[in-house]
Amino acid sequence: ANLNVRLSVSESESLKTIKTRNGQAYLKFIEARQEFRSLQIRRIDRAVALLEEAIGLDPNYTEAHTLLAWILTLQSWPAFKENQSKLASNRERIKTHLSIASKLNPASSDIHLVRANYAMTYLDDVKLAEQMVQEALELNSWPELPTTLCICTAVTVNVVKGNLKRAKEIAEVARKVEPGNIFILNDSFFIDMVEGDMDGAAKKMEQALQLMDVPIFRYQTGWAYFHQGRYEESIELLLQAFKGQAYTPTAISAYLSNAYYKIGNLKKSDAYKDTVEVKLAGGETHVLADLAAIAAVRGQDDLALTYLERHQKESIVSMAYLINVDPVFRKYEDYPRFRALREKMKYYE
């Protein structure tokens, strides 16, 4: 493996206190951080492999276990999730690495944040996620070298829970813990989306794209443009978003279907919808929330709610992020069926 990694001053300094005595394991960890921060699918997969190698060299390397659990959790989010088998495998691996990391360093704020993300993503429990975030902040035990981007889980969980004031406060903590973390712009985008400030959301993503042109930011910029009514621009960005990557997440296909529907191109809209339905027919139940977004835009409210109910019963991953952030579902907030979905994920507690 290529271990010709140039360390920054902060990374060199943190080598003095990092929780491993194995230099090769540490270098693999650093390279994995760099690969992960690229936010490119293939490079994220390589980060996973590097962390597994680091753990092979030092099974008690807490930070490597934590970062690996975090990346595996992120792969279940809408812009990254691939298929049910990978999601199921990741779930067991996350549990294993979190268990080891928690035993090695039970007072780690980073580990609590990954547990928060796991609770929201796989356990469908936003209340537990909120508690984990609060414990992480109270511990205030951030590593010398942050696990990377993980701090923003604290913001995202509160956005998903609807605690926007708290989310904004934690964003300020995030800026201090990991200055320059581009995901703080991402979190601000989520806050704007929930508040209904689509212009602000679009500007945050445009700024993120200028700093780092990666698929997830193209997707979210296109998502914001859709909610501004800029459908042609939305289509352009969504088509570009994951071009050349290993696969196209169904969240992209869903919003391409929605954007084409809005401009009256039903043929293309149905074609993208069909690609998602094919996934569902193949047993990929994690796409049910994406089909719900398509139905919601088409005004098929009963079908949208049915898809969401099926998702909660059948999918291995939660839809907490999507139904609490995506504006297409806002019209259902007072529907008893929608409230029942939120109650099961402990949204109101």
Side-chain angles (χ1 to χ4, degrees), residues 17 25 32 34 58 60-61 71 93 122 132 137 139 144 149 154 178 194 229 231 238 251-252 277 281 294 298 337 341:
T17 56
Q34 292 175 348
D58 182 355
N60 294 321
Y61 194 172
I71 294 174
R93 293 162 74 191
Y122 277 99
M132 289 292 100
L137 295 171
L139 285 167
E144 292 290 325
L149 312 181
E178 195 170 2
V194 175
Y231 304 124
L238 292 172
I252 299 280
E277 289 178 340
I294 294 172
R298 294 181 177 214
R337 291 170 68 186
L341 292 168

Side-chain angles (χ1 to χ4, degrees), residues 119-120 123-131 157 160-161 318 320-321 324 342 345-348:
M120 184 173 67
L123 303 183
D124 207 22
D125 191 336
V126 294
K127 179 62 178 177
L128 177 58
E130 184 185 33
Q131 291 172 351
V157 165
V160 170
K161 188 70 169 58
S318 173
Y321 165 83
N324 294 323
R342 279 183 161 176
M345 63 178 65
K346 301 180 183 177
Y347 178 88
Y348 299 109

Side-chain angles (χ1 to χ4, degrees), residues 3 37 42 52 54 63 65 77 91 100 110 151 190-191 222 266 309 317 324 346:
L3 293 177
R37 290 178 76 93
R42 291 190 182 91
E52 288 172 336
E63 288 84 353
H65 284 288
W77 279 58
R91 176 174 182 161
I100 295 170
D110 265 8
I151 179 63
F190 290 145
I191 291 170
L266 297 185
E309 289 164 346
V317 290
N324 294 323
K346 301 180 183 177

Side-chain angles (χ1 to χ4, degrees), residues 192-232:
D192 288 342
M193 288 281 278
V194 175
E195 287 186 325
D197 180 5
M198 299 308 161
D199 291 344
K203 287 176 182 176
K204 300 293 191 314
M205 279 296 96
E206 288 167 350
Q207 186 179 351
L209 265 179
Q210 288 177 354
L211 295 170
M212 192 172 177
D213 190 346
V214 294
I216 186 172
F217 293 157
R218 283 179 176 257
Y219 156 55
Q220 290 182 174
T221 306
W223 191 23
Y225 285 175
F226 173 87
H227 289 295
Q228 285 183 300
R230 298 162 65 180
Y231 304 124
E232 297 280 3

Side-chain angles (χ1 to χ4, degrees), residues 238-301:
L238 292 172
L239 287 172
Q240 294 172 357
F242 280 75
K243 190 175 182 180
Q245 297 290 307
Y247 63 93
T248 299
T250 51
I252 299 280
S253 298
Y255 265 89
L256 280 168
S257 177
N258 286 343
Y260 278 117
Y261 180 82
K262 286 291 189 179
I263 64 173
N265 190 333
L266 297 185
K267 184 177 180 179
K268 283 195 173 180
S269 177
D270 285 344
Y272 281 104
K273 177 172 71 71
D274 289 347
T275 66
V276 185
E277 289 178 340
V278 166
K279 292 275 190 183
L280 178 61
E284 303 292 327
T285 57
H286 68 278
V287 309
L288 281 160
D290 299 316
L291 286 170
I294 294 172
V297 167
R298 294 181 177 214
Q300 299 168 323
D301 297 336

Side-chain angles (χ1 to χ4, degrees), residues 41-267:
I41 290 173
R42 291 190 182 91
R43 292 182 66 182
I44 289 174
D45 288 342
R46 173 159 170 71
V48 169
L50 285 164
L51 289 167
E52 288 172 336
E53 291 174 18
I55 290 167
L57 292 165
D58 182 355
N60 294 321
Y61 194 172
T62 307
E63 288 84 353
H65 284 288
T66 305
L67 180 54
L68 181 52
W70 164 230
I71 294 174
L72 293 173
T73 304
L74 186 78
Q75 288 180 325
S76 66
W77 279 58
F80 292 102
K81 61 186 179 184
E82 184 174 356
N83 56 56
Q84 292 288 98
S85 61
K86 185 171 183 177
L87 293 169
S89 172
N90 281 6
R91 176 174 182 161
E92 296 309 309
R93 293 162 74 191
I94 294 162
K95 287 163 62 177
T96 297
H97 292 292
L98 277 179
S99 176
I100 295 170
S102 295
K103 288 175 182 176
L104 291 169
N105 187 5
S108 164
S109 291
D110 265 8
I111 293 169
H112 277 68
L113 289 182
V114 180
R115 289 176 65 193
N117 212 319
Y118 176 78
M120 184 173 67
T121 304
Y122 277 99
L123 303 183
D124 207 22
D125 191 336
V126 294
K127 179 62 178 177
L128 177 58
E130 184 185 33
Q131 291 172 351
M132 289 292 100
V133 164
Q134 187 57 35
E135 288 182 22
L137 295 171
E138 288 173 358
L139 285 167
N140 195 31
S141 57
W142 313 106
E144 292 290 325
L145 187 60
T147 298
T148 196
L149 312 181
C150 182
I151 179 63
C152 287
T153 289
V155 185
T156 306
V157 165
N158 277 275
V159 172
V160 170
K161 188 70 169 58
N163 302 331
L164 299 187
K165 180 180 178 182
R166 183 65 175 144
K168 292 174 184 178
E169 292 171 351
I170 297 174
E172 294 306 313
V173 176
R175 288 185 177 91
K176 294 176 183 177
V177 170
E178 195 170 2
N181 183 342
I182 197 168
F183 258 49
I184 295 170
L185 278 172
N186 194 67
D187 291 321
S188 298
F189 157 77
F190 290 145
I191 291 170
D192 288 342
M193 288 281 278
V194 175
E195 287 186 325
D197 180 5
M198 299 308 161
D199 291 344
K203 287 176 182 176
K204 300 293 191 314
M205 279 296 96
E206 288 167 350
Q207 186 179 351
L209 265 179
Q210 288 177 354
L211 295 170
M212 192 172 177
D213 190 346
V214 294
I216 186 172
F217 293 157
R218 283 179 176 257
Y219 156 55
Q220 290 182 174
T221 306
W223 191 23
Y225 285 175
F226 173 87
H227 289 295
Q228 285 183 300
R230 298 162 65 180
Y231 304 124
E232 297 280 3
E233 292 171 273
S234 174
I235 289 168
E236 183 180 352
L237 273 170
L238 292 172
L239 287 172
Q240 294 172 357
F242 280 75
K243 190 175 182 180
Q245 297 290 307
Y247 63 93
T248 299
T250 51
I252 299 280
S253 298
Y255 265 89
L256 280 168
S257 177
N258 286 343
Y260 278 117
Y261 180 82
K262 286 291 189 179
I263 64 173
N265 190 333
L266 297 185
K267 184 177 180 179

